[in-house]
Short mmCIF file of all heavy atoms in Angstrom, two decimals:
data_model
loop_
_atom_site.label_atom_id
_atom_site.label_comp_id
_atom_site.label_asym_id
_atom_site.label_seq_id
_atom_site.Cartn_x
_atom_site.Cartn_y
_atom_site.Cartn_z
N ARG N 1 3.99 16.83 -4.01
CA ARG N 1 4.76 17.91 -3.38
C ARG N 1 5.83 17.43 -2.41
O ARG N 1 6.63 18.25 -1.94
CB ARG N 1 3.81 18.87 -2.67
CG ARG N 1 3.13 19.82 -3.65
CD ARG N 1 1.85 20.38 -3.11
NE ARG N 1 1.27 21.34 -4.06
CZ ARG N 1 0.59 20.99 -5.14
NH1 ARG N 1 0.40 19.71 -5.43
NH2 ARG N 1 0.10 21.91 -5.96
N TYR N 2 5.86 16.15 -2.09
CA TYR N 2 6.84 15.65 -1.12
C TYR N 2 7.60 14.45 -1.69
O TYR N 2 7.14 13.78 -2.62
CB TYR N 2 6.15 15.28 0.20
CG TYR N 2 5.62 16.48 0.94
CD1 TYR N 2 4.30 16.89 0.77
CD2 TYR N 2 6.44 17.22 1.79
CE1 TYR N 2 3.80 18.01 1.43
CE2 TYR N 2 5.96 18.34 2.46
CZ TYR N 2 4.64 18.73 2.27
OH TYR N 2 4.17 19.84 2.92
N ASP N 3 8.75 14.19 -1.08
CA ASP N 3 9.55 13.02 -1.45
C ASP N 3 9.29 11.85 -0.51
O ASP N 3 9.55 10.71 -0.87
CB ASP N 3 11.04 13.40 -1.42
CG ASP N 3 11.34 14.55 -2.35
OD1 ASP N 3 11.30 14.34 -3.58
OD2 ASP N 3 11.60 15.67 -1.87
N ALA N 4 8.80 12.13 0.68
CA ALA N 4 8.44 11.07 1.63
C ALA N 4 7.32 11.60 2.53
O ALA N 4 7.32 12.76 2.93
CB ALA N 4 9.63 10.64 2.47
N VAL N 5 6.37 10.72 2.83
CA VAL N 5 5.26 11.06 3.72
C VAL N 5 5.15 9.96 4.77
O VAL N 5 5.14 8.77 4.43
CB VAL N 5 3.91 11.16 2.95
CG1 VAL N 5 2.78 11.49 3.91
CG2 VAL N 5 4.01 12.21 1.85
N VAL N 6 5.09 10.35 6.04
CA VAL N 6 4.92 9.40 7.15
C VAL N 6 3.59 9.69 7.80
O VAL N 6 3.32 10.84 8.22
CB VAL N 6 6.06 9.54 8.18
CG1 VAL N 6 5.85 8.54 9.33
CG2 VAL N 6 7.42 9.30 7.52
N ILE N 7 2.72 8.68 7.89
CA ILE N 7 1.37 8.86 8.44
C ILE N 7 1.25 8.05 9.73
O ILE N 7 1.45 6.84 9.74
CB ILE N 7 0.29 8.40 7.44
CG1 ILE N 7 0.44 9.14 6.11
CG2 ILE N 7 -1.10 8.63 8.01
CD1 ILE N 7 -0.51 8.66 5.03
N ASP N 8 0.92 8.73 10.81
CA ASP N 8 0.71 8.09 12.11
C ASP N 8 -0.77 7.82 12.29
O ASP N 8 -1.61 8.71 12.13
CB ASP N 8 1.23 9.01 13.22
CG ASP N 8 0.99 8.44 14.61
OD1 ASP N 8 1.00 7.21 14.75
OD2 ASP N 8 0.77 9.23 15.55
N THR N 9 -1.13 6.57 12.61
CA THR N 9 -2.54 6.21 12.80
C THR N 9 -2.74 5.62 14.19
O THR N 9 -1.79 5.31 14.90
CB THR N 9 -3.01 5.19 11.76
OG1 THR N 9 -2.38 3.92 12.02
CG2 THR N 9 -2.65 5.64 10.35
N ALA N 10 -4.02 5.46 14.55
CA ALA N 10 -4.34 4.97 15.89
C ALA N 10 -4.56 3.47 15.92
O ALA N 10 -4.79 2.90 16.99
CB ALA N 10 -5.58 5.68 16.42
N GLY N 11 -4.54 2.80 14.79
CA GLY N 11 -4.82 1.37 14.74
C GLY N 11 -5.54 1.04 13.45
O GLY N 11 -5.63 1.87 12.54
N VAL N 12 -6.07 -0.16 13.36
CA VAL N 12 -6.72 -0.60 12.14
C VAL N 12 -8.17 -0.10 12.11
O VAL N 12 -9.13 -0.85 12.21
CB VAL N 12 -6.67 -2.14 11.99
CG1 VAL N 12 -7.12 -2.57 10.60
CG2 VAL N 12 -5.26 -2.65 12.24
N HIS N 13 -8.30 1.23 12.01
CA HIS N 13 -9.60 1.87 11.88
C HIS N 13 -9.90 2.11 10.40
O HIS N 13 -9.00 2.03 9.57
CB HIS N 13 -9.62 3.18 12.66
CG HIS N 13 -9.37 3.01 14.13
ND1 HIS N 13 -10.21 2.29 14.94
CD2 HIS N 13 -8.35 3.45 14.92
CE1 HIS N 13 -9.75 2.30 16.18
NE2 HIS N 13 -8.61 3.00 16.19
N PRO N 14 -11.16 2.41 10.05
CA PRO N 14 -11.51 2.56 8.63
C PRO N 14 -10.61 3.53 7.86
O PRO N 14 -10.16 3.22 6.76
CB PRO N 14 -12.96 3.05 8.69
CG PRO N 14 -13.51 2.44 9.94
CD PRO N 14 -12.37 2.46 10.91
N HIS N 15 -10.33 4.72 8.43
CA HIS N 15 -9.50 5.67 7.68
C HIS N 15 -8.06 5.19 7.59
O HIS N 15 -7.37 5.42 6.61
CB HIS N 15 -9.57 7.06 8.32
CG HIS N 15 -8.93 7.16 9.66
ND1 HIS N 15 -9.59 6.83 10.83
CD2 HIS N 15 -7.68 7.53 10.03
CE1 HIS N 15 -8.79 7.00 11.84
NE2 HIS N 15 -7.62 7.42 11.41
N ALA N 16 -7.60 4.47 8.64
CA ALA N 16 -6.24 3.92 8.59
C ALA N 16 -6.12 2.85 7.51
O ALA N 16 -5.09 2.74 6.84
CB ALA N 16 -5.85 3.34 9.95
N VAL N 17 -7.18 2.09 7.32
CA VAL N 17 -7.20 1.07 6.27
C VAL N 17 -7.09 1.73 4.90
O VAL N 17 -6.35 1.26 4.02
CB VAL N 17 -8.47 0.21 6.37
CG1 VAL N 17 -8.62 -0.67 5.12
CG2 VAL N 17 -8.43 -0.65 7.62
N GLU N 18 -7.82 2.84 4.72
CA GLU N 18 -7.74 3.55 3.43
C GLU N 18 -6.32 4.05 3.18
O GLU N 18 -5.80 3.94 2.06
CB GLU N 18 -8.73 4.72 3.40
CG GLU N 18 -10.19 4.33 3.53
CD GLU N 18 -10.66 3.45 2.39
OE1 GLU N 18 -10.02 3.42 1.32
OE2 GLU N 18 -11.70 2.78 2.55
N PHE N 19 -5.68 4.60 4.20
CA PHE N 19 -4.31 5.07 4.05
C PHE N 19 -3.36 3.90 3.80
O PHE N 19 -2.44 3.99 2.98
CB PHE N 19 -3.87 5.83 5.30
CG PHE N 19 -4.46 7.21 5.42
CD1 PHE N 19 -4.68 7.78 6.67
CD2 PHE N 19 -4.80 7.94 4.29
CE1 PHE N 19 -5.22 9.05 6.78
CE2 PHE N 19 -5.35 9.21 4.40
CZ PHE N 19 -5.56 9.77 5.65
N ALA N 20 -3.57 2.79 4.52
CA ALA N 20 -2.69 1.64 4.38
C ALA N 20 -2.76 1.06 2.97
O ALA N 20 -1.75 0.62 2.41
CB ALA N 20 -3.04 0.57 5.41
N ARG N 21 -3.95 1.04 2.39
CA ARG N 21 -4.10 0.51 1.03
C ARG N 21 -3.30 1.31 0.01
O ARG N 21 -2.78 0.76 -0.96
CB ARG N 21 -5.58 0.54 0.63
CG ARG N 21 -6.43 -0.55 1.26
CD ARG N 21 -7.89 -0.32 0.95
NE ARG N 21 -8.74 -1.42 1.39
CZ ARG N 21 -10.06 -1.35 1.47
NH1 ARG N 21 -10.67 -0.23 1.13
NH2 ARG N 21 -10.76 -2.39 1.87
N LEU N 22 -3.18 2.62 0.24
CA LEU N 22 -2.50 3.48 -0.72
C LEU N 22 -1.02 3.64 -0.43
O LEU N 22 -0.27 4.10 -1.30
CB LEU N 22 -3.16 4.87 -0.71
CG LEU N 22 -4.63 4.92 -1.14
CD1 LEU N 22 -5.19 6.32 -0.91
CD2 LEU N 22 -4.79 4.52 -2.59
N ALA N 23 -0.58 3.29 0.77
CA ALA N 23 0.81 3.50 1.16
C ALA N 23 1.74 2.53 0.45
O ALA N 23 1.36 1.43 0.05
CB ALA N 23 0.95 3.36 2.67
N ASP N 24 2.99 2.94 0.32
CA ASP N 24 4.01 2.06 -0.25
C ASP N 24 4.48 1.02 0.76
O ASP N 24 4.83 -0.09 0.40
CB ASP N 24 5.21 2.89 -0.73
CG ASP N 24 4.81 3.89 -1.79
OD1 ASP N 24 4.47 3.46 -2.90
OD2 ASP N 24 4.81 5.10 -1.50
N ARG N 25 4.51 1.40 2.03
CA ARG N 25 4.94 0.49 3.08
C ARG N 25 4.12 0.76 4.34
O ARG N 25 3.88 1.92 4.69
CB ARG N 25 6.43 0.70 3.39
CG ARG N 25 7.02 -0.28 4.39
CD ARG N 25 7.13 -1.68 3.79
NE ARG N 25 8.07 -1.71 2.68
CZ ARG N 25 9.37 -2.00 2.82
NH1 ARG N 25 9.86 -2.27 4.01
NH2 ARG N 25 10.14 -2.04 1.76
N VAL N 26 3.67 -0.32 4.99
CA VAL N 26 2.95 -0.22 6.25
C VAL N 26 3.85 -0.76 7.35
O VAL N 26 4.32 -1.91 7.28
CB VAL N 26 1.62 -1.01 6.21
CG1 VAL N 26 0.94 -0.96 7.57
CG2 VAL N 26 0.70 -0.45 5.13
N LEU N 27 4.13 0.06 8.35
CA LEU N 27 4.96 -0.34 9.48
C LEU N 27 4.06 -0.66 10.67
O LEU N 27 3.41 0.24 11.21
CB LEU N 27 5.94 0.77 9.84
CG LEU N 27 6.90 1.23 8.73
CD1 LEU N 27 7.75 2.39 9.21
CD2 LEU N 27 7.78 0.09 8.27
#
C-alpha cells in the first residue's frame, strides 16, 4: 500500500532486529 516506509526504533532490540532484517536499508 505504500511507496516508502520509514520505521523508527529504539535500538538493537529483538523487534528492531526483525524489522532490520526485512528492510531494504538500515540507517
Side-chain angles (χ1 to χ4, degrees):
R1 282 157 177 79
Y2 292 94
D3 302 289
V5 179
V6 180
I7 304 175
D8 177 32
T9 70
V12 190
H13 299 298
H15 68 275
V17 169
E18 298 298 341
F19 285 151
R21 284 173 173 167
L22 297 173
D24 300 291
R25 185 71 65 92
V26 176
L27 302 177

